[in-house]
Amino acid sequence: MKHRILIVDDDQDLLLILKESLESYNNSYEVLISGSVQNALIKLQSESVSLLISDLRMPGIDGFTLLTYVNQNYPDLPVIIMTGYPYKDVDRMSYEKGAIGFISKPFKIQELEALIRKTLQKQTEGGTLHDISIPLFLQMIEMEQKTATVRVLNRATEKRGVLFFKNGELLDARLDNTSGLTAAREIISWDDVSISIENSCNLNQRNIQVSLNALILEAMRLKDERPKSQQTTGTETPNLRVTPDKTNKVLTSVQAKLKNAFLGRWIPNASYVDNSWGKMIKSIQEISSSLNFGDLKALYLERKRGLPLAIVPDEEIVVLELDSTCSRDKLLRVLSL
């Protein structure tokens, strides 16, 4: 995945050298250059940027003003200050105003690249996930009461959005020039995505007041209203393929465990092996691992239509069709043993 870096400096020769050097040094970098803060602001509105590097002393609007603007309007965007400013404590002032890195001119390209790499690695410190369900992932963030900045890449359109969580609450979202509820609804409706997790959040104010579940329902409505040509295939609930196999060892083991636990007073309406659930199970296991949930032993699934299901991942995947007489909590405890 390309990391788009915007460098702002009024020295055009330096900009061209940095662009050529960084893109040659690491082919995952795409470097945009801007000779003024005014031009940089235009680029920020039209481009998805992973990192901003700015000089301080420039004609017109200076780097400190740009830094303040970015912190207020793009709170997920890290800023590195590079300067030959001779005044004392300029590095301390940069950090106090929100910069995450500082480098003094002149510098070696290796020094700047190391600082860039360290900064970008922080954006994925909580892991990177592919081919997963955004609603499922966000519900697990909420359940775990996790604080995180979640960056989402729509692989079909290459759009990038950001979701801000603090203690499991969705505070805000950003997508291009939109934020708040509108941005969150659009991001959650995406299918084919990659997700990067940063284990921190710079926001404190909550700008999204609706519940996450209500927002997910609204996003699904938005997705359903799109023309089918604009919809992509993501992690979906598989079509059930009932394939009973009384000789299957995994299935026999699960059936025996249930019989012993419930003393024969309850059995599932149906139990069978269905490995078409593999992709969804893999996604959930990746999410669980990234959030330090531990191993996935069993999954309870409520469905809009049909009976609820219990999914038991093992060497093969066992599916149990349940009914209203089954205690969900007891069933999950038994299956987790």
Side-chain angles (χ1 to χ4, degrees):
M1 183 174 68
K2 287 280 188 181
H3 295 289
R4 193 170 291 147
I5 302 168
L6 175 59
I7 304 179
V8 188
D9 199 301
D10 60 329
D11 185 337
Q12 192 67 26
D13 291 337
L14 176 62
L15 287 177
L16 294 174
I17 291 171
L18 290 177
K19 176 178 173 63
E20 181 179 353
S21 299
L22 288 172
E23 290 183 340
S24 300
Y25 201 92
N26 191 322
N27 59 15
S28 71
Y29 297 158
E30 177 186 349
V31 179
L32 308 178
I33 56 177
S34 176
S36 68
V37 171
Q38 293 91 330
N39 183 259
L41 295 177
I42 294 173
K43 279 187 165 60
L44 285 174
Q45 291 176 357
S46 60
E47 303 281 356
S48 295
V49 176
S50 302
L51 173 65
L52 174 67
I53 303 173
S54 178
D55 188 23
L56 281 183
R57 298 182 68 180
M58 291 177 284
I61 305 174
D62 65 12
F64 277 144
T65 304
L66 175 60
L67 177 58
T68 300
Y69 177 85
V70 167
N71 286 335
Q72 292 174 349
N73 294 275
Y74 302 90
D76 60 295
L77 180 59
V79 180
I80 293 174
I81 294 296
M82 60 174 185
T83 186
Y85 217 151
Y87 295 109
K88 185 180 179 181
D89 292 338
V90 67
D91 54 344
R92 177 184 57 79
M93 292 171 59
S94 299
Y95 287 120
E96 287 177 352
K97 290 179 179 291
I100 55 84
F102 180 90
I103 189 167
S104 296
K105 297 177 181 177
F107 51 78
K108 295 180 179 179
I109 193 65
Q110 293 88 343
E111 295 172 336
L112 178 60
E113 198 280 330
L115 184 55
I116 291 172
R117 186 166 10 98
K118 179 181 177 181
T119 302
L120 294 176
Q121 284 174 348
K122 182 174 173 57
Q123 296 182 1
T124 59
E125 62 188 355
T128 301
L129 305 171
H130 307 284
D131 300 319
I132 69 167
S133 161
I134 292 184
L136 175 62
F137 174 76
L138 298 184
Q139 286 172 324
M140 295 182 78
I141 289 272
E142 181 181 55
M143 181 174 65
E144 184 67 5
Q145 298 184 339
K146 188 173 178 66
T147 294
T149 299
V150 179
R151 293 175 172 85
V152 185
L153 169 66
N154 185 328
R155 296 193 297 190
T157 64
E158 295 192 350
K159 283 191 172 184
R160 299 167 190 258
V162 187
L163 300 164
F164 302 91
F165 281 86
K166 183 151 286 188
N167 299 323
E169 287 190 343
L170 178 59
L171 301 184
D172 206 350
R174 182 171 68 80
L175 173 63
D176 296 332
N177 291 325
T178 62
S179 61
L181 190 62
T182 302
R185 187 168 51 224
E186 174 67 22
I187 294 168
I188 295 172
S189 73
W190 291 347
D191 280 327
D192 186 14
V193 300
S194 293
I195 292 178
S196 299
I197 309 157
E198 180 179 343
N199 295 328
S200 61
C201 176
N202 293 330
L203 291 185
N204 292 306
Q205 182 178 350
R206 185 173 184 179
N207 295 323
I208 295 177
Q209 303 301 329
V210 302
S211 71
L212 181 60
N213 282 338
L215 185 55
I216 289 173
L217 289 174
E218 182 65 15
M220 294 304 98
R221 181 193 63 77
L222 177 66
K223 175 181 171 182
D224 289 341
E225 290 177 353
R226 289 196 189 112
K228 289 191 179 296
S229 60
Q230 296 180 17
Q231 297 183 18
T232 57
T233 302
T235 303
E236 301 173 351
T237 302
N239 294 322
L240 293 181
R241 296 196 297 274
V242 180
T243 54
D245 182 0
K246 295 182 180 179
T247 65
N248 184 281
K249 292 182 180 179
V250 176
L251 178 60
T252 301
S253 174
V254 171
Q255 290 171 334
K257 186 182 291 188
L258 294 176
K259 183 177 180 180
N260 292 334
F262 289 92
L263 302 176
R265 290 193 292 268
W266 177 85
I267 59 172
N269 287 5
S271 55
Y272 48 89
V273 170
D274 185 356
N275 291 318
S276 67
W277 291 87
K279 185 176 180 180
M280 175 178 283
I281 293 297
K282 181 181 178 182
S283 294
I284 296 172
Q285 287 172 331
E286 288 178 351
I287 295 171
S288 298
S289 176
S290 70
L291 299 178
N292 297 317
F293 279 1
D295 295 334
L296 177 66
K297 301 291 187 180
L299 177 68
Y300 185 90
L301 184 65
E302 291 276 5
R303 296 190 292 167
K304 291 182 180 179
R305 299 175 183 174
L307 298 168
L309 302 177
I311 315 295
V312 186
D314 206 309
E315 295 175 4
E316 296 190 86
I317 298 172
V318 173
V319 178
L320 308 174
E321 290 188 6
L322 312 176
D323 59 32
S324 59
T325 65
C326 174
S327 167
R328 181 187 65 180
D329 292 342
K330 181 176 180 179
L331 176 67
L332 291 177
R333 282 198 303 271
V334 170
L335 294 175
S336 298
L337 295 176

